[in-house]
Amino acid sequence: GMAEAEAAGDAGPAPAAAQEGAELAAVIGATVPTGFEQTAAEEVQEKLGSASRISRDRGKIYFEVPARSLPQVHRLRSVDNLFVVVQEFKDYQFKENKEDALKDLEDLVKKLPWTDPLKVWELNNSLKKKKTKRKKHNLQSPASREKLSDGGEEAAADQNTTTDQEDCAQNPVAVEPAGGQDTEDPQGVTSRNGVEEEEDNEQSDVQVEVQGSSECGTGAGDGQASEGEARVLRFRVTCNRAGDKHSFTSNEAARDFGGAVQEHFQWKADMTNFDVEVLLNIHNKEVVVGIALTEESLHRRNITHFGPTTLRSTLAYGMLRLCDPQPTDIIVDPMCGTGAIPIEGAAEWPYCFHIAGDNSPQAVKRAANNVSSLLRKNESKDSSAALGVPLDVLQWDICHLPLRTGSVDIVVTDMPFGKRIGSKKKNWDLYPACLMEMGRICTPGTGRAVLLTQDKKCFAKALSRVGHIWRRAQTVWVNVGGLHAAVYLLRRTCERAGEAGPLW
Amino acid sequence: MKLLTHNLLSSHVPGLRPGGGFPLRIEAAEVRVRPVPFNAAFVSRLVPRLRWDALREAAESLGRPSELPPEPSPGYEADEEFLRRLHHVLLEVEVLEGSLQCPDSGRRFPISRGVPNLLLSEDE
């Protein structure tokens, strides 16, 4: 209640409540690209040692970790967003009548075990605070904003973030700047939220904190409480509802649940500048109440220069994991666009060699710029010389790859989608030629390919013509920007290609 | 462009003799050296996949005295000094400006800001 609100308003070092939070076992919910739940669970097992439950609500996994592991949780590469679970109901009985069903949800609020999850939320907040201060120095220039609204379906999301940035600029608050602003960070890498960068750059953080305080002149950690007093927390409720047996809409649920939350905590409702985002996820009879630990749309972590169809880093990571890169593997993305996949590859698999190529000069330029941003992130603390990364960018034609036959181990790429780039007719001709050429450059027997495409029909047909080079090993059904797509894992057969080219 | 990449590149100008597109001849106008974290196992496992003569030739064409032996000697896996020199040549030396020339056809492909442009023109 109010005690928590006061603690959250305090400036400086993490309040006592947050320290206490570190000892708790937190149940964390993570949203992941649909289809890659298993991949994400493997990463959680590998990096945190925890087993995950995969929810029937697609695109979500749940796992338990000590709250002090939050920094490592934020570094997971397969996860888009994180929340701390307040309570889960596996078999919630919704009343048939709308008023009754909504009243039940309202009544639920005061019965939920908020205390511990809120402590975890506070701890998470204190991890974010340092980065917020640094952000004040990195306010966007208009030129950078223009880059963000580069075409395609990303435009809508980017414009939302632009608005949030404007809010941030006027009101340097504890509210974590939205994804868009992250991209302007001169440190280069768009980290999920403050945590990752704070770990990497401890020294500069101390500096910046001092400057931050004197600049805003308030001494209050988040700048919001300019009088240095405790202030009331602001919140909003986000409801996602799926299922055909509910008598109410997600808006109604959010509204009424939100009303009860406001009543119970005496917080202030605010749709845009909120401290606490309460999540109400309803999937048929499964109800999960959570508190968000990340801001939306922060999955563009390695990409500072967008293109019209930039792939989510989490999806790029999932695709790479699928082909199980071994140290020394040579991994090629022959249609790399802005380079999301090879850049994710170079960051997570630095003992492989990554080659990115595209035929478009704009794409190549953006990919090269994104690599430069990654290099700046790698700048060692001791010297100003940036360490190189095992990655090269080239401009080439996918149908005539200037690579020796059988010279690479893995091909990973996002194939052109008919609707967003190129056309369906072009794909009909392009896909078989691509598969042949990718087959030629790939090592017979051990080579593999991981290909994302929305044009599943065209792909299946093309694949049937190259059965002597590629065998289908696994298919993952995914959702890319609202389009239903598939990721195919293919294995290279033992048949060797002739040196003369793809006509075999 | 790093020399490891160069070792994998082969010209695809049409009508070449088999193998006539490799190796591309480097003409470097600007070269940069940038450290990359060393991993012995990584470098060691690359050795069998490299075209060794082409690698030596490439290193020499960059005006750097060749630090590589004519052939990897038996037991190279354990020879850290050798592996470090190989690591340096493969990953730390980058061609920023210059061109790559197809040995058979003479066709030149530019390298600009570290990015080689290997697109063929419409009529090729």
Side-chain angles (χ1 to χ4, degrees):
Chain A
M2 284 309 288
E4 281 148 338
E6 279 167 0
D10 285 351
Q19 300 291 31
E20 202 187 312
E23 299 317 309
L24 295 171
V27 177
I28 304 289
T31 55
V32 306
T34 2
F36 282 99
E37 296 87 354
Q38 189 54 44
T39 307
E42 283 168 21
E43 193 194 8
V44 169
Q45 180 67 59
E46 191 180 288
K47 294 184 178 168
L48 296 166
S50 298
S52 303
R53 271 179 297 121
I54 295 175
S55 161
R56 294 221 293 252
D57 185 2
R58 296 193 72 212
K60 290 198 180 60
I61 65 168
Y62 296 92
F63 52 92
E64 196 173 297
V65 287
R68 83 181 79 81
S69 298
L70 276 178
Q72 287 97 297
V73 175
H74 281 285
R75 283 199 290 264
L76 293 168
R77 315 293 290 198
S78 52
V79 163
D80 286 318
N81 281 296
L82 296 165
F83 55 94
V84 54
V85 173
V86 175
Q87 191 160 0
E88 287 178 75
F89 301 88
K90 297 278 165 53
D91 193 24
Y92 190 94
Q93 300 300 320
F94 285 102
K95 301 246 167 67
E96 282 193 25
N97 175 280
K98 185 205 292 206
E99 278 74 38
D100 293 340
L102 290 173
K103 179 80 173 48
D104 279 353
L105 285 176
E106 286 180 37
D107 291 344
L108 190 56
V109 172
K110 55 183 176 293
K111 300 181 205 161
L112 291 171
W114 295 97
T115 317
D116 284 356
L118 277 169
K119 285 182 185 150
V120 173
W121 169 81
E122 275 185 63
L123 177 63
N124 189 68
N125 247 23
S126 69
L127 295 171
K128 287 198 303 191
K129 260 188 188 156
K130 284 178 189 169
K131 183 179 186 200
T132 304
K133 290 189 180 122
R134 190 182 331 141
K135 278 286 176 266
K136 286 184 201 155
H137 299 276
N138 305 336
L139 294 174
Q140 261 195 317
S141 66
S144 317
R145 267 183 220 181
E146 188 254 5
K147 247 182 243 163
L148 285 180
S149 17
D150 231 343
E153 64 94 42
E154 312 312 336
D158 292 344
Q159 265 146 40
N160 289 337
T161 60
T162 306
T163 314
D164 289 340
Q165 286 145 20
E166 278 161 352
D167 287 345
C168 265
Q170 292 153 17
N171 190 5
V173 172
V175 175
E176 179 65 15
Q181 186 158 1
D182 276 350
T183 67
E184 300 323 307
D185 187 340
Q187 300 290 335
V189 172
T190 308
S191 64
R192 175 72 34 71
N193 54 33
V195 181
E196 181 175 10
E197 288 200 5
E198 180 204 281
E199 300 269 346
D200 292 343
N201 299 290
E202 279 158 31
Q203 284 198 328
S204 53
D205 273 350
V206 172
Q207 286 271 27
V208 172
E209 261 186 81
V210 168
Q211 288 162 29
S213 305
S214 52
E215 186 183 56
C216 76
T218 62
D222 54 28
Q224 167 74 359
S226 49
E227 299 75 35
E229 292 164 6
R231 60 167 183 80
V232 171
L233 282 182
R234 293 169 310 167
F235 81 102
R236 81 166 187 195
V237 172
T238 303
C239 176
N240 289 304
R241 190 202 61 79
D244 48 13
K245 297 211 167 73
H246 306 128
S247 55
F248 53 87
T249 65
S250 58
N251 280 342
E252 289 165 340
R255 177 199 63 205
D256 289 1
F257 196 78
V261 166
Q262 199 266 320
E263 193 59 46
H264 182 70
F265 289 108
Q266 294 296 300
W267 290 341
K268 187 173 152 138
D270 191 326
M271 287 306 292
T272 48
N273 284 326
F274 48 88
D275 304 301
V276 184
E277 182 177 19
V278 175
L279 304 169
L280 177 60
N281 292 331
I282 302 174
H283 185 255
N284 294 319
K285 287 193 176 165
E286 197 181 89
V287 175
V288 179
V289 180
I291 300 174
L293 298 176
T294 55
E295 299 284 314
E296 271 186 58
S297 306
L298 287 186
H299 36 61
R300 303 240 177 276
R301 59 172 167 252
N302 291 331
I303 302 298
T304 52
H305 296 79
F306 289 104
T309 58
T310 296
L311 192 71
R312 277 195 279 174
S313 302
T314 45
L315 195 45
Y317 177 82
M319 287 173 68
L320 282 160
R321 257 196 101 105
L322 205 58
C323 62
D324 192 24
Q326 296 302 302
T328 318
D329 275 345
I330 295 177
I331 306 178
V332 175
D333 182 353
M335 294 183 277
C336 68
T338 51
I341 297 173
I343 286 168
E344 186 67 22
E348 271 299 291
W349 287 272
Y351 301 123
C352 294
F353 190 69
H354 307 266
I355 303 180
D358 202 286
N359 63 353
S360 145
Q362 293 91 345
V364 163
K365 188 168 159 201
R366 287 199 186 108
N369 285 337
N370 283 324
V371 175
S372 300
S373 301
L374 183 64
L375 289 172
R376 281 196 292 277
K377 184 206 175 190
N378 280 354
E379 238 147 70
S380 95
K381 292 172 203 170
D382 315 316
S383 74
S384 57
L387 288 177
V389 286
L391 194 163
D392 259 333
V393 179
L394 294 91
Q395 192 170 352
W396 65 32
D397 175 4
I398 176 69
C399 298
H400 301 96
L401 289 172
L403 288 165
R404 285 196 270 124
T405 296
S407 59
V408 318
D409 298 287
I410 298 173
V411 176
V412 196
T413 198
D414 177 1
M415 312 267 296
F417 287 6
K419 292 200 171 94
R420 292 156 98 197
I421 262 194
S423 68
K424 291 239 159 184
K425 180 186 185 306
K426 275 198 202 155
N427 285 353
W428 213 251
D429 300 325
L430 186 66
Y431 276 27
C434 283
L435 284 170
M436 291 287 268
E437 196 54 349
M438 295 191 292
R440 182 186 65 77
I441 63 168
C442 215
T443 317
T446 55
R448 48 251 191 247
V450 177
L451 309 173
L452 168 66
T453 179
Q454 191 240 335
D455 207 338
K456 301 180 284 282
K457 194 161 147 190
C458 183
F459 187 82
K461 171 132 192 199
L463 196 58
S464 68
R465 283 156 63 173
V466 296
H468 57 303
I469 326 172
W470 291 112
R471 277 179 293 112
R472 211 204 287 212
Q474 197 184 332
T475 307
V476 181
W477 304 102
V478 300
N479 188 302
V480 182
L483 302 170
H484 287 116
V487 173
Y488 298 93
L489 170 64
L490 306 177
R491 294 205 184 277
R492 180 68 175 79
T493 65
C494 293
E495 181 156 330
R496 310 191 77 84
E499 283 289 348
L503 306 169
W504 34 289
Chain B
M1 179 197 72
K2 299 173 176 58
L3 293 188
L4 172 51
T5 300
H6 170 261
N7 203 255
L8 304 172
L9 291 176
S10 175
S11 163
H12 263 243
V13 171
L16 300 178
R17 294 173 296 133
F22 181 87
L24 291 161
R25 196 168 306 126
I26 306 178
E27 292 157 335
E30 192 185 329
V31 173
R32 169 179 67 197
V33 174
R34 177 178 248 163
V36 171
F38 171 70
N39 181 292
F42 173 66
V43 181
S44 168
R45 284 197 216 115
L46 278 174
V47 173
R49 326 175 62 151
L50 299 169
R51 295 279 172 87
W52 196 258
D53 292 340
L55 180 63
R56 284 190 87 210
E57 213 176 284
E60 280 190 47
S61 74
L62 295 191
R64 319 183 73 69
S66 183
E67 302 165 324
L68 302 174
E71 261 175 40
S73 32
Y76 67 80
E77 297 92 333
D79 185 349
E80 185 170 316
E81 207 191 302
F82 163 76
L83 292 175
R84 280 191 180 269
R85 276 191 252 125
L86 179 56
H87 164 87
H88 176 74
V89 167
L90 286 173
L91 296 175
E92 298 187 331
V93 180
E94 299 175 81
V95 180
L96 293 181
E97 302 288 331
S99 66
L100 295 168
Q101 188 179 34
C102 170
D104 247 22
S105 69
R107 166 59 152 109
R108 278 189 171 82
F109 299 95
I111 303 175
S112 167
R113 289 157 150 206
V115 176
N117 183 347
L118 292 147
L119 282 176
L120 299 172
S121 61
E122 286 285 302
D123 43 301
E124 275 170 309

